[in-house]
Amino acid sequence: MNTPVYDFLERYAGSGTVRAHMPGHKGRSPEGCGFGAAFPYDITEIKGADSLYEADGIIAESEKNAASIFGTAATFYSAGGSTLCIQAMLAAVCGKGRSFICGRNAHRSVMNSCVLLDLDPCWLYPEYEDSSVVSGKITAASVEMAIERYRDKDPACVFITSPDYLGRLAPIAEIAEVCHRNSMPLLVDNAHGAYLAFLEDSFHPVALGADMCCDSAHKTLPVLTGGAYLHVGNESFIPEIKRDMALFGSTSPSYLIMASMDLCNKYLAEGFRSDLAETVKRVCDLKKRLAHLVLPDTEPLKVTFYAYPCGLRGYQLAEQLRENGIEAEYADETHAVLMFSSSSTGEDFEKTAFAAERLMCPRILLRPPQIEITEAVRAMSPREAFFAARETVSAEKASGRIAAESITVCPPCIPIAAAGEIIDENIIKILKMYSIFHVNVVQ
Ligand SMILES: Cc1ncc(COP(=O)(O)O)c(C=O)c1O
């Protein structure tokens, strides 16, 4: 597999050309900078370098390589993460002012898209388990019920997040069948699942029937932070999607990020599958060793601790791991999540298993917090609420007030209350559980 973007940058870096163009560093790093090797490769859209949103040269070639590796109708690069892809997908499918059915375990970028595009999200609440708002089960039957329930609103699509932050996978093939039977496109936030295309049987949303999805390449592949794919399964979206990406993206997308995606194509086409199989086996072995501490059915690269049964809070468990040199991806009151990838070493796994097996668990077991997640009552649209005059109040005194922005567990930025929704006593209880003490409300 060729690497046209990286090759161009390498040639240019070695050419000795006077850089009478942006960026201002001219390919030279500040004195004493520890990552100086990156600077010569960081360029702008000079002749021959193509242009991300009007690509017909090396970037287009590299994107075609990615599409052939992932088996999609088309794949487009984002240097603005899945956030940009989510904005573009919703703009492409919903336009302005439409409603759409959305799993409530959605990332803040979905809420922000609702504000930007004046969208009306029709929430599909997952079956929550283990006292967490971050994750829950969404089934094809629940999608079908939501389609029936919201038919009057003429939703433009169904939007599902899978895998979610705790590593739960939704049954995308079944959900796609339901959506298509009801003539509705299915969009999937697969930010955590780029690697799913390379398992023995592909679990990638496009392979399972999604019309479009986004993958944060940087979350699970060896790609620089910010690199993501917008994959298209349904060809009818191809002609306009770059225009929608350009609406939200910077006109100076990072060539370092794009080059890392270009190089990743070669790895995905060559050694990745076998490295991934080895990593999946190691994660599986780790989960077996820690079976009393972790959720069993999470996606293959995540190890999700449910901390309460061993008498710890999630963030205490993460703190103990930190003291042993292991930094978790995420921790809250109840859970802690570790993410591994094909770049994790055997030593990383051994160190993690050693530390986790020696967690200091107090004798008194904790009772999980009893939280009830009820359907939100909306008083204003997300856009009206976001642009209304606002004030900050203590969470305890917010009962009856309207959220002026999405109040999220951050990371992973999942809403407890979305902009425009009324905060009630139940929500206040959940805010406390996630240590959120102040909120912005409409004045
Ligand atoms: C489920 C989910 N979707 C979307 C995003 C946004 O991805 P990115 O950081 O690549 O913009 C995140 C980021 O954490 C996420 O967890």
Side-chain angles (χ1 to χ4, degrees):
M1 166 101 3
N2 68 345
T3 52
V5 177
Y6 177 76
D7 294 350
F8 179 87
L9 297 186
E10 195 171 41
R11 275 197 308 277
Y12 192 64
S15 69
T17 304
V18 175
R19 297 189 182 200
H21 59 73
M22 295 180 275
H25 58 66
K26 309 297 174 197
R28 301 181 186 102
S29 58
E31 204 58 57
C33 155
F35 61 103
F39 280 67
Y41 297 85
D42 182 44
I43 62 161
T44 185
E45 286 87 353
I46 55 172
K47 191 168 168 52
D50 210 359
S51 174
L52 179 57
Y53 301 120
E54 300 83 26
D56 58 6
I58 55 173
I59 296 175
E61 192 182 347
S62 184
E63 288 179 325
K64 279 206 181 82
N65 285 345
S68 81
I69 299 165
F70 278 90
T72 60
T75 289
F76 301 109
Y77 289 167
S78 159
S82 283
T83 299
L84 169 61
C85 303
I86 288 169
Q87 291 165 337
M89 289 195 296
L90 288 172
V93 177
C94 303
K96 177 182 155 292
R98 288 278 303 267
S99 67
F100 68 109
I101 295 170
C102 186
R104 178 75 175 194
N105 52 343
H107 183 257
R108 183 165 63 189
S109 49
V110 179
M111 316 301 139
N112 291 348
S113 303
C114 292
V115 171
L116 291 166
L117 298 165
D118 199 13
L119 301 181
D120 168 18
C122 302
W123 295 117
L124 162 54
Y125 285 80
E127 282 169 41
Y128 293 101
E129 289 165 20
D130 307 331
S131 314
S132 171
V133 300
V134 169
S135 167
K137 196 164 145 194
I138 290 182
T139 61
S142 64
V143 171
E144 184 127 46
M145 273 161 60
I147 291 174
E148 272 311 309
R149 175 179 172 188
Y150 294 118
R151 208 174 276 287
D152 287 355
K153 291 191 157 207
D154 188 26
C157 66
V158 171
F159 186 103
I160 298 290
T161 301
S162 173
D164 67 21
Y165 223 82
L166 297 191
R168 277 205 179 84
L169 288 158
I172 295 298
E174 292 168 29
I175 292 174
E177 190 278 319
V178 166
C179 291
H180 295 152
R181 186 155 34 79
N182 285 278
S183 308
M184 231 179 257
L186 171 64
L187 308 183
V188 178
D189 176 350
N190 182 50
H192 291 243
Y195 73 95
L196 294 172
F198 305 94
L199 297 173
E200 208 169 299
D201 293 319
S202 174
F203 259 76
H204 194 263
V206 168
L208 300 178
D211 293 271
M212 282 197 276
C213 81
C214 63
D215 307 352
S216 293
H218 67 93
K219 291 194 198 301
T220 59
L221 302 177
V223 162
L224 293 178
T225 296
Y229 308 104
L230 194 162
H231 296 294
V232 185
N234 176 341
E235 287 184 2
S236 69
F237 293 116
I238 294 175
E240 293 291 323
I241 197 71
K242 279 256 179 183
R243 176 178 163 264
D244 294 307
M245 294 181 87
L247 180 63
F248 300 102
S250 164
T251 54
S252 304
S254 163
Y255 271 84
L256 292 180
I257 294 175
M258 291 189 282
S260 74
M261 296 179 78
D262 188 46
L263 285 173
C264 188
N265 283 340
K266 187 169 161 59
Y267 178 43
L268 294 177
E270 294 170 6
F272 182 63
R273 277 176 191 276
S274 62
D275 289 355
L276 177 67
E278 177 64 26
T279 309
V280 168
K281 191 179 163 309
R282 283 172 165 166
V283 174
C284 198
D285 289 345
L286 182 63
K287 284 182 183 169
K288 277 189 197 141
R289 275 173 80 170
L290 305 176
H292 56 300
L293 293 172
V294 304
L295 301 183
D297 298 323
T298 52
E299 42 118 336
L301 294 185
K302 277 202 179 84
V303 177
T304 305
F305 291 88
Y306 181 40
Y308 263 59
C310 58
L312 290 170
R313 301 194 145 82
Y315 50 80
Q316 291 172 325
L317 193 152
E319 185 54 40
Q320 287 195 27
L321 292 176
R322 185 174 296 124
E323 282 162 11
N324 285 280
I326 296 143
E327 188 64 33
E329 162 61 27
Y330 169 69
D332 64 20
E333 173 71 16
T334 47
H335 294 83
V337 178
L338 309 184
M339 283 175 77
F340 294 94
S341 80
S342 63
S343 301
S344 306
T345 63
E347 200 187 325
D348 294 341
F349 283 98
E350 212 27 67
K351 204 168 153 182
T352 306
F354 187 80
E357 281 170 344
R358 279 152 195 77
L359 286 169
M360 302 291 291
C361 301
R363 285 211 191 85
I364 302 167
L365 298 193
L366 298 170
R367 278 191 49 232
Q370 300 301 310
I371 58 163
E372 200 190 340
I373 296 157
T374 50
E375 281 207 13
V377 177
R378 189 186 298 166
M380 297 168 97
S381 77
R383 186 180 175 93
E384 278 171 332
F386 187 88
F387 289 110
R390 64 179 59 203
E391 60 182 332
T392 305
V393 297
S394 102
E396 275 190 335
K397 297 202 173 127
S399 185
R401 305 295 299 268
I402 301 168
E405 64 199 11
S406 289
I407 305 170
T408 61
V409 184
C410 214
C413 305
I414 308 293
I416 299 170
E421 291 176 356
I422 297 177
I423 299 170
D424 60 17
E425 289 298 335
N426 195 37
I427 288 176
I428 292 172
K429 217 168 132 188
I430 301 171
L431 294 175
K432 257 192 213 154
M433 181 178 116
Y434 286 102
S435 305
I436 297 171
F437 301 113
H438 291 92
V439 290
N440 286 327
V441 294
V442 173
Q443 252 180 22

